[in-house]
Amino acid sequence: MNGTIIEPDLGFIKDLTASGAESLKKCYQCATCSVVCRIAPEGSPFPRKEMVWAQWGLKDKLAADPDVWLCHNCGDCTTNCPRGAKPGDVLGALRKATIEKYAMIRPLAALGGNFAAQFIVGAIVITGLLLAIGHTNVLANYHSVDKNGHLRIIFNNFIPTHDIDKLFAPLFLLGVVTAIYGIRRFWNDICDAAGLGKYTGRNALPSIAPTIGQVLKHNVFASCGENSDRKTPHLLTFFAFIALFITTNWAVFYLYVLGWKPGDYSSLSNPLKWLGNAGAIMLIAGSYLLIKNRKAKSEKQTSSNFDWSLLYLVFFIGVTGTAAEAFRIVGAYAPAQAVYVMHLIFIAQLFIFAPYSKLAHMFYRTTAMVFAKHTGRELKAAA
Ligand code: SF4
Ligand code: SF4
Protein backbone atom coordinates (compact mmCIF):
# COMPACT_ATOMS: atom_id res chain seq x y z
CA MET A 1 0.00 0.00 0.00
CA ASN A 2 1.37 3.44 -0.97
CA GLY A 3 1.28 6.31 1.53
CA THR A 4 2.97 9.53 2.46
CA ILE A 5 5.79 9.20 4.94
CA ILE A 6 5.88 12.07 7.42
CA GLU A 7 9.21 12.74 9.05
CA PRO A 8 8.60 15.06 11.98
CA ASP A 9 11.39 17.44 12.95
CA LEU A 10 11.45 16.82 16.70
CA GLY A 11 13.94 19.61 17.31
CA PHE A 12 11.53 22.02 15.62
CA ILE A 13 8.65 20.89 17.87
CA LYS A 14 10.90 21.37 20.91
CA ASP A 15 11.88 24.89 19.77
CA LEU A 16 8.24 25.79 19.15
CA THR A 17 7.31 24.59 22.62
CA ALA A 18 10.04 26.76 24.10
CA SER A 19 8.79 29.78 22.10
CA GLY A 20 5.28 29.83 23.59
CA ALA A 21 3.60 26.89 21.82
CA GLU A 22 3.65 24.51 24.79
CA SER A 23 -0.11 23.95 24.43
CA LEU A 24 0.30 22.56 20.91
CA LYS A 25 -0.20 18.90 21.84
CA LYS A 26 -3.64 19.55 23.31
CA CYS A 27 -5.19 20.17 19.89
CA TYR A 28 -7.60 17.40 18.79
CA GLN A 29 -8.47 18.97 15.42
CA CYS A 30 -12.05 20.04 16.12
CA ALA A 31 -11.62 23.07 13.77
CA THR A 32 -13.46 25.49 16.06
CA CYS A 33 -10.49 27.87 15.70
CA SER A 34 -10.78 28.06 11.91
CA VAL A 35 -14.52 28.67 12.21
CA VAL A 36 -14.26 31.51 14.72
CA CYS A 37 -11.33 33.26 13.02
CA ARG A 38 -12.74 36.42 11.47
CA ILE A 39 -9.79 36.85 9.15
CA ALA A 40 -9.03 33.43 7.63
CA PRO A 41 -10.30 33.03 4.04
CA GLU A 42 -13.13 30.56 3.41
CA GLY A 43 -11.04 28.08 1.40
CA SER A 44 -8.42 26.18 3.41
CA PRO A 45 -8.72 28.45 6.45
CA PHE A 46 -6.18 28.75 9.26
CA PRO A 47 -5.22 27.94 12.00
CA ARG A 48 -6.45 24.31 12.29
CA LYS A 49 -4.25 23.01 9.48
CA GLU A 50 -1.21 24.83 10.93
CA MET A 51 -1.90 23.16 14.28
CA VAL A 52 -1.68 19.67 12.79
CA TRP A 53 1.36 20.54 10.66
CA ALA A 54 3.06 21.91 13.78
CA GLN A 55 2.18 18.76 15.75
CA TRP A 56 3.79 16.74 12.96
CA GLY A 57 6.86 18.98 12.99
CA LEU A 58 6.54 20.00 9.32
CA LYS A 59 9.02 22.83 9.57
CA ASP A 60 9.55 23.61 5.88
CA LYS A 61 5.85 23.39 5.02
CA LEU A 62 5.04 25.89 7.77
CA ALA A 63 7.86 28.26 6.78
CA ALA A 64 6.41 28.40 3.25
CA ASP A 65 2.86 28.93 4.53
CA PRO A 66 1.71 32.56 4.06
CA ASP A 67 -1.28 31.90 6.34
CA VAL A 68 1.03 31.92 9.36
CA TRP A 69 1.49 35.64 8.61
CA LEU A 70 -2.05 36.42 7.51
CA CYS A 71 -3.02 35.74 11.12
CA HIS A 72 -3.10 39.08 12.96
CA ASN A 73 -2.94 37.56 16.43
CA CYS A 74 -6.52 38.52 17.29
CA GLY A 75 -6.74 35.76 19.88
CA ASP A 76 -10.35 34.77 19.05
CA CYS A 77 -9.27 31.20 18.25
CA THR A 78 -7.38 30.93 21.55
CA THR A 79 -10.39 32.17 23.52
CA ASN A 80 -12.73 29.68 21.86
CA CYS A 81 -10.53 26.59 21.64
CA PRO A 82 -12.28 23.91 23.73
CA ARG A 83 -8.94 22.23 24.55
CA GLY A 84 -6.95 25.29 25.59
CA ALA A 85 -4.46 24.60 22.78
CA LYS A 86 -3.92 28.36 22.24
CA PRO A 87 -3.66 28.28 18.44
CA GLY A 88 -3.03 32.06 18.31
CA ASP A 89 0.07 31.59 20.46
CA VAL A 90 1.22 28.65 18.33
CA LEU A 91 1.03 30.82 15.20
CA GLY A 92 3.08 33.47 17.03
CA ALA A 93 5.76 30.86 17.75
CA LEU A 94 5.64 29.74 14.10
CA ARG A 95 6.25 33.33 12.95
CA LYS A 96 9.33 33.49 15.16
CA ALA A 97 10.56 30.20 13.64
CA THR A 98 10.04 31.59 10.12
CA ILE A 99 12.05 34.73 10.94
CA GLU A 100 14.89 32.50 12.15
CA LYS A 101 14.72 30.26 9.08
CA TYR A 102 15.06 33.15 6.62
CA ALA A 103 17.63 35.06 8.69
CA MET A 104 20.73 36.26 6.89
CA ILE A 105 22.92 36.28 10.03
CA ARG A 106 21.83 33.29 12.13
CA PRO A 107 23.68 34.17 15.38
CA LEU A 108 21.81 37.50 15.50
CA ALA A 109 18.50 35.73 14.91
CA ALA A 110 19.26 33.43 17.85
CA LEU A 111 19.19 36.55 20.09
CA GLY A 112 15.80 37.71 18.73
CA GLY A 113 14.07 37.32 22.11
CA ASN A 114 17.00 38.09 24.42
CA PHE A 115 16.73 41.76 25.36
CA ALA A 116 19.77 41.78 27.67
CA ALA A 117 22.07 40.22 25.06
CA GLN A 118 20.80 42.60 22.40
CA PHE A 119 21.43 45.56 24.69
CA ILE A 120 25.00 44.37 25.35
CA VAL A 121 25.63 44.12 21.59
CA GLY A 122 24.24 47.66 21.14
CA ALA A 123 26.40 48.93 24.03
CA ILE A 124 29.54 47.33 22.56
CA VAL A 125 28.83 48.92 19.18
CA ILE A 126 28.34 52.41 20.68
CA THR A 127 31.40 52.02 22.95
CA GLY A 128 33.37 51.02 19.84
CA LEU A 129 32.11 54.17 18.12
CA LEU A 130 33.17 56.39 21.05
CA LEU A 131 36.60 54.77 21.13
CA ALA A 132 36.99 55.07 17.36
CA ILE A 133 36.08 58.77 17.41
CA GLY A 134 38.68 59.30 20.09
CA HIS A 135 37.72 62.91 20.76
CA THR A 136 34.39 62.59 22.58
CA ASN A 137 34.16 65.64 24.80
CA VAL A 138 32.00 65.11 27.87
CA LEU A 139 32.62 68.66 29.12
CA ALA A 140 32.08 70.51 25.84
CA ASN A 141 28.46 71.34 26.62
CA TYR A 142 29.41 72.61 30.09
CA HIS A 143 31.03 75.59 28.36
CA SER A 144 28.34 76.06 25.68
CA VAL A 145 26.86 79.40 26.64
CA ASP A 146 25.02 81.51 24.06
CA LYS A 147 25.20 85.30 23.73
CA ASN A 148 22.43 85.75 26.32
CA GLY A 149 24.42 83.80 28.87
CA HIS A 150 22.19 80.70 28.68
CA LEU A 151 23.65 77.22 28.59
CA ARG A 152 23.00 75.84 25.09
CA ILE A 153 23.51 72.12 24.81
CA ILE A 154 24.32 70.70 21.39
CA PHE A 155 24.83 66.94 21.31
CA ASN A 156 27.19 67.36 18.37
CA ASN A 157 29.69 69.03 20.74
CA PHE A 158 29.69 65.86 22.82
CA ILE A 159 29.62 63.19 20.06
CA PRO A 160 29.92 64.50 16.48
CA THR A 161 26.72 63.81 14.54
CA HIS A 162 28.65 63.02 11.36
CA ASP A 163 30.49 60.22 13.17
CA ILE A 164 27.21 58.78 14.46
CA ASP A 165 25.85 58.87 10.91
CA LYS A 166 28.90 56.97 9.66
CA LEU A 167 27.90 54.14 12.00
CA PHE A 168 24.11 54.23 11.70
CA ALA A 169 23.90 54.58 7.90
CA PRO A 170 25.66 51.22 7.27
CA LEU A 171 23.69 49.59 10.12
CA PHE A 172 20.44 50.77 8.55
CA LEU A 173 21.52 49.57 5.10
CA LEU A 174 22.48 46.20 6.57
CA GLY A 175 18.95 45.97 8.01
CA VAL A 176 17.45 46.77 4.58
CA VAL A 177 19.65 44.19 2.82
CA THR A 178 18.76 41.60 5.49
CA ALA A 179 15.05 42.30 5.04
CA ILE A 180 15.30 41.99 1.25
CA TYR A 181 17.24 38.72 1.64
CA GLY A 182 14.54 37.27 3.91
CA ILE A 183 11.61 38.50 1.81
CA ARG A 184 13.13 37.09 -1.37
CA ARG A 185 13.63 33.63 0.11
CA PHE A 186 10.19 33.67 1.75
CA TRP A 187 8.53 34.77 -1.50
CA ASN A 188 10.27 32.10 -3.55
CA ASP A 189 9.26 29.41 -1.06
CA ILE A 190 5.60 30.42 -0.82
CA CYS A 191 5.33 30.64 -4.61
CA ASP A 192 7.04 27.27 -4.96
CA ALA A 193 4.82 25.65 -2.31
CA ALA A 194 1.74 26.96 -4.13
CA GLY A 195 2.97 25.44 -7.40
CA LEU A 196 3.54 28.83 -9.07
CA GLY A 197 7.25 28.38 -9.68
CA LYS A 198 9.90 30.40 -7.94
CA TYR A 199 10.08 33.67 -9.86
CA THR A 200 6.61 35.12 -10.14
CA GLY A 201 7.52 38.45 -8.54
CA ARG A 202 6.75 40.72 -11.45
CA ASN A 203 3.22 39.36 -11.85
CA ALA A 204 2.47 40.35 -8.25
CA LEU A 205 3.45 44.02 -8.61
CA PRO A 206 -0.17 45.28 -9.06
CA SER A 207 -1.04 43.69 -5.69
CA ILE A 208 1.52 45.75 -3.78
CA ALA A 209 -0.20 49.18 -3.75
CA PRO A 210 -3.63 47.93 -2.54
CA THR A 211 -1.91 45.83 0.15
CA ILE A 212 0.04 48.83 1.42
CA GLY A 213 -3.26 50.76 1.53
CA GLN A 214 -4.74 47.96 3.63
CA VAL A 215 -1.73 48.01 5.99
CA LEU A 216 -1.92 51.81 6.40
CA LYS A 217 -5.60 51.62 7.28
CA HIS A 218 -5.16 48.64 9.59
CA ASN A 219 -8.63 47.51 8.57
CA VAL A 220 -7.82 43.83 9.18
CA PHE A 221 -7.10 44.61 12.84
CA ALA A 222 -10.50 46.27 13.05
CA SER A 223 -12.24 42.94 12.53
CA CYS A 224 -10.47 41.25 15.45
CA GLY A 225 -12.75 40.31 18.31
CA GLU A 226 -10.73 39.52 21.46
CA ASN A 227 -7.83 41.89 20.67
CA SER A 228 -9.71 44.64 18.84
CA ASP A 229 -8.31 47.16 21.36
CA ARG A 230 -4.87 46.56 19.86
CA LYS A 231 -5.69 48.46 16.67
CA THR A 232 -5.22 52.02 18.03
CA PRO A 233 -1.90 51.46 19.87
CA HIS A 234 -0.59 49.44 16.92
CA LEU A 235 -1.54 52.27 14.56
CA LEU A 236 0.10 54.83 16.87
CA THR A 237 3.35 52.85 16.95
CA PHE A 238 3.25 52.23 13.21
CA PHE A 239 2.77 55.90 12.34
CA ALA A 240 5.36 56.88 14.95
CA PHE A 241 7.94 54.84 13.03
CA ILE A 242 6.91 56.56 9.80
CA ALA A 243 7.11 60.04 11.44
CA LEU A 244 10.56 59.30 12.91
CA PHE A 245 11.81 57.89 9.62
CA ILE A 246 10.74 61.09 7.85
CA THR A 247 12.33 63.22 10.61
CA THR A 248 15.65 61.39 10.28
CA ASN A 249 15.73 61.84 6.52
CA TRP A 250 14.72 65.47 6.93
CA ALA A 251 17.75 66.02 9.19
CA VAL A 252 19.94 64.20 6.64
CA PHE A 253 18.64 66.63 4.00
CA TYR A 254 19.56 69.63 6.18
CA LEU A 255 23.02 68.26 6.95
CA TYR A 256 24.15 66.73 3.71
CA VAL A 257 22.14 68.57 1.02
CA LEU A 258 21.70 72.08 2.46
CA GLY A 259 24.98 71.91 4.38
CA TRP A 260 23.52 72.99 7.73
CA LYS A 261 25.51 72.37 10.89
CA PRO A 262 24.30 69.90 13.54
CA GLY A 263 22.28 71.87 16.07
CA ASP A 264 21.04 74.42 13.48
CA TYR A 265 17.69 72.60 13.38
CA SER A 266 17.33 71.74 17.06
CA SER A 267 15.12 74.72 17.94
CA LEU A 268 11.60 73.71 18.99
CA SER A 269 10.25 76.18 16.42
CA ASN A 270 11.57 74.05 13.56
CA PRO A 271 8.80 71.88 11.95
CA LEU A 272 11.27 69.00 11.90
CA LYS A 273 11.13 69.05 15.70
CA TRP A 274 7.32 69.16 15.69
CA LEU A 275 7.20 65.98 13.61
CA GLY A 276 9.99 64.32 15.62
CA ASN A 277 8.32 65.12 18.95
CA ALA A 278 4.91 64.00 17.69
CA GLY A 279 6.53 60.73 16.55
CA ALA A 280 8.21 60.25 19.95
CA ILE A 281 4.96 60.84 21.85
CA MET A 282 3.09 58.41 19.59
CA LEU A 283 5.88 55.86 20.06
CA ILE A 284 5.73 56.08 23.85
CA ALA A 285 1.92 56.05 23.98
CA GLY A 286 1.55 53.22 21.44
CA SER A 287 4.19 50.93 22.97
CA TYR A 288 2.97 51.65 26.52
CA LEU A 289 -0.61 50.69 25.59
CA LEU A 290 0.58 47.56 23.76
CA ILE A 291 2.56 46.50 26.86
CA LYS A 292 -0.42 47.24 29.10
CA ASN A 293 -2.80 45.25 26.85
CA ARG A 294 -0.51 42.25 26.79
CA LYS A 295 -0.08 42.29 30.56
CA ALA A 296 -3.85 42.52 31.06
CA LYS A 297 -4.38 39.45 28.85
CA SER A 298 -1.48 37.38 30.18
CA GLU A 299 -3.86 34.82 31.73
CA LYS A 300 -5.46 33.99 28.40
CA GLN A 301 -2.68 34.61 25.89
CA THR A 302 1.00 33.79 26.17
CA SER A 303 3.56 36.54 25.52
CA SER A 304 7.09 35.29 24.93
CA ASN A 305 10.38 37.13 25.44
CA PHE A 306 10.30 37.63 21.69
CA ASP A 307 7.11 39.72 22.11
CA TRP A 308 8.34 41.67 25.13
CA SER A 309 11.82 42.46 23.75
CA LEU A 310 10.56 44.57 20.90
CA LEU A 311 7.83 46.31 22.90
CA TYR A 312 10.21 47.39 25.66
CA LEU A 313 12.90 48.39 23.16
CA VAL A 314 10.47 50.65 21.30
CA PHE A 315 9.23 52.12 24.59
CA PHE A 316 12.79 52.81 25.82
CA ILE A 317 13.73 54.45 22.50
CA GLY A 318 10.80 56.83 22.86
CA VAL A 319 11.47 57.59 26.53
CA THR A 320 15.24 58.14 26.21
CA GLY A 321 14.82 60.28 23.07
CA THR A 322 12.24 62.49 24.78
CA ALA A 323 14.17 62.66 28.08
CA ALA A 324 17.43 63.59 26.30
CA GLU A 325 15.62 66.47 24.58
CA ALA A 326 13.95 67.61 27.81
CA PHE A 327 17.29 67.64 29.70
CA ARG A 328 18.88 69.49 26.77
CA ILE A 329 16.20 72.18 26.84
CA VAL A 330 16.46 72.77 30.59
CA GLY A 331 20.25 72.89 30.33
CA ALA A 332 21.04 69.78 32.41
CA TYR A 333 24.03 68.78 30.30
CA ALA A 334 25.26 65.74 32.30
CA PRO A 335 21.89 63.87 32.42
CA ALA A 336 21.18 64.96 28.83
CA GLN A 337 24.42 63.39 27.60
CA ALA A 338 24.04 60.23 29.71
CA VAL A 339 20.49 59.64 28.44
CA TYR A 340 21.61 60.48 24.90
CA VAL A 341 24.19 57.65 25.02
CA MET A 342 21.48 55.24 26.26
CA HIS A 343 19.29 56.41 23.39
CA LEU A 344 22.06 55.69 20.88
CA ILE A 345 22.53 52.20 22.33
CA PHE A 346 18.81 51.44 21.97
CA ILE A 347 18.81 52.77 18.38
CA ALA A 348 21.84 50.59 17.55
CA GLN A 349 20.03 47.64 19.15
CA LEU A 350 16.98 48.32 16.98
CA PHE A 351 18.97 48.65 13.74
CA ILE A 352 21.00 45.48 14.37
CA PHE A 353 18.14 43.26 15.55
CA ALA A 354 15.07 44.66 13.74
CA PRO A 355 15.13 42.03 10.95
CA TYR A 356 15.32 39.26 13.57
CA SER A 357 12.85 40.73 16.03
CA LYS A 358 9.08 40.88 16.00
CA LEU A 359 9.42 44.04 13.90
CA ALA A 360 10.15 41.72 10.96
CA HIS A 361 6.40 41.07 10.84
CA MET A 362 6.14 44.41 9.01
CA PHE A 363 7.73 42.94 5.90
CA TYR A 364 6.85 39.23 6.20
CA ARG A 365 3.15 39.90 6.86
CA THR A 366 3.00 42.49 4.07
CA THR A 367 4.63 39.97 1.71
CA ALA A 368 2.09 37.30 2.71
CA MET A 369 -0.77 39.78 2.17
CA VAL A 370 0.59 40.69 -1.29
CA PHE A 371 0.75 36.96 -2.08
CA ALA A 372 -2.83 36.43 -0.87
CA LYS A 373 -4.08 39.27 -3.05
CA HIS A 374 -1.96 38.10 -5.98
CA THR A 375 -3.47 34.62 -5.80
CA GLY A 376 -7.03 35.89 -5.25
CA ARG A 377 -7.14 34.65 -1.66
CA GLU A 378 -8.89 37.57 0.00
CA LEU A 379 -8.95 37.69 3.76
CA LYS A 380 -12.44 37.44 5.20
CA ALA A 381 -11.95 40.78 6.94
CA ALA A 382 -10.74 42.55 3.80
CA ALA A 383 -13.53 41.06 1.71
S1 SF4 B 1 -6.57 24.39 18.22
FE1 SF4 B 1 -8.34 24.05 19.53
S2 SF4 B 1 -10.06 24.80 18.31
FE2 SF4 B 1 -8.35 24.50 16.89
S3 SF4 B 1 -8.59 22.48 16.09
FE3 SF4 B 1 -7.25 22.31 17.86
S4 SF4 B 1 -8.57 21.83 19.58
FE4 SF4 B 1 -9.88 22.60 17.95
S1 SF4 C 1 -5.15 34.63 16.38
FE1 SF4 C 1 -6.89 35.64 15.39
S2 SF4 C 1 -6.27 35.92 13.28
FE2 SF4 C 1 -4.90 34.42 14.17
S3 SF4 C 1 -5.82 32.48 13.67
FE3 SF4 C 1 -6.56 33.04 15.70
S4 SF4 C 1 -8.48 34.10 15.36
FE4 SF4 C 1 -7.42 34.01 13.39
Side-chain angles (χ1 to χ4, degrees):
M1 193 175 91
N2 289 331
T4 306
I5 298 172
I6 292 171
E7 291 180 18
D9 184 330
L10 298 178
F12 173 65
I13 298 174
K14 206 170 145 204
D15 289 347
L16 273 186
T17 307
S19 307
E22 58 269 14
S23 51
L24 176 64
K25 286 190 190 142
K26 294 183 186 170
C27 171
Y28 62 175
Q29 287 293 306
C30 69
T32 305
C33 49
S34 292
V35 174
V36 298
C37 178
R38 304 176 197 213
I39 292 174
E42 299 291 348
S44 189
F46 52 86
R48 186 202 63 84
K49 65 181 187 307
E50 283 73 19
M51 290 299 282
V52 73
W53 293 348
Q55 284 179 327
W56 290 346
L58 302 183
K59 182 179 178 181
D60 292 337
K61 194 171 180 59
L62 284 159
D65 175 19
D67 287 7
V68 166
W69 293 95
L70 296 182
C71 161
H72 280 54
N73 197 19
C74 298
D76 298 341
C77 54
T78 295
T79 303
N80 289 286
C81 172
R83 292 277 292 164
K86 298 190 174 175
D89 297 351
V90 173
L91 287 189
L94 288 172
R95 286 189 283 273
K96 178 174 179 285
T98 305
I99 291 169
E100 285 170 4
K101 178 178 161 81
Y102 294 118
M104 195 169 83
I105 306 173
R106 291 286 172 91
L108 293 182
L111 300 178
N114 189 334
F115 187 91
Q118 289 177 14
F119 179 80
I120 290 169
V121 172
I124 291 171
V125 168
I126 294 300
T127 307
L129 171 74
L130 297 180
L131 292 174
I133 293 170
H135 55 267
T136 303
N137 190 348
V138 288
L139 290 177
N141 278 310
Y142 180 66
H143 304 293
S144 300
V145 178
D146 66 15
K147 57 181 185 299
N148 299 318
H150 297 129
L151 186 62
R152 184 165 179 256
I153 297 171
I154 300 173
F155 288 125
N156 180 65
N157 295 345
F158 167 44
I159 306 174
T161 306
H162 292 301
D163 290 322
I164 295 172
D165 291 346
K166 278 181 209 151
L167 170 71
F168 281 164
L171 282 184
F172 178 74
L173 286 177
L174 177 66
V176 172
V177 169
T178 308
I180 293 171
Y181 173 89
I183 291 171
R184 195 166 174 276
R185 291 185 64 211
F186 177 55
W187 180 265
N188 285 343
D189 280 357
I190 56 180
C191 287
D192 208 20
L196 298 177
K198 286 208 170 196
Y199 300 102
T200 57
R202 252 181 302 163
N203 303 340
L205 289 179
S207 303
I208 294 176
T211 303
I212 290 176
Q214 210 172 12
V215 171
L216 289 174
K217 282 189 272 179
H218 268 48
N219 53 0
V220 178
F221 277 102
S223 55
C224 284
E226 187 70 30
N227 287 341
S228 58
D229 51 357
R230 224 162 25 105
K231 183 187 170 189
T232 304
H234 200 274
L235 257 179
L236 275 175
T237 313
F238 180 69
F239 280 106
F241 270 106
I242 293 176
L244 295 171
F245 180 74
I246 294 171
T247 308
T248 306
N249 285 289
W250 195 340
V252 166
F253 179 75
Y254 279 154
L255 287 173
Y256 299 102
V257 180
L258 300 185
W260 288 21
K261 290 197 187 67
D264 285 357
Y265 48 83
S266 56
S267 159
L268 283 180
S269 59
N270 190 315
L272 176 146
K273 282 284 159 190
W274 303 347
L275 184 65
N277 288 331
I281 291 166
M282 287 195 293
L283 199 67
I284 295 171
S287 53
Y288 170 76
L289 290 171
L290 286 171
I291 291 169
K292 197 169 156 233
N293 279 1
R294 273 197 180 267
K295 282 194 185 289
K297 289 177 181 156
S298 59
E299 299 246 317
K300 283 193 202 161
Q301 295 167 28
T302 311
S303 293
S304 64
N305 288 339
F306 191 66
D307 299 311
W308 292 124
S309 287
L310 179 68
L311 286 178
Y312 278 110
L313 176 59
V314 169
F315 180 70
F316 291 149
I317 286 175
V319 169
T320 50
T322 308
E325 184 178 38
F327 284 131
R328 178 178 68 79
I329 291 167
V330 300
Y333 87 96
Q337 292 179 176
V339 176
Y340 182 59
V341 170
M342 288 296 287
H343 185 62
L344 292 180
I345 293 173
F346 288 132
I347 299 274
Q349 185 177 339
L350 180 77
F351 280 10
I352 295 167
F353 291 98
Y356 313 107
S357 73
K358 215 181 160 191
L359 198 65
H361 78 276
M362 277 174 77
F363 46 86
Y364 282 113
R365 179 170 288 144
T366 307
T367 305
M369 288 170 75
V370 168
F371 181 81
K373 204 166 270 300
H374 172 55
T375 52
R377 200 157 182 267
E378 283 289 336
L379 301 179
K380 222 189 275 171

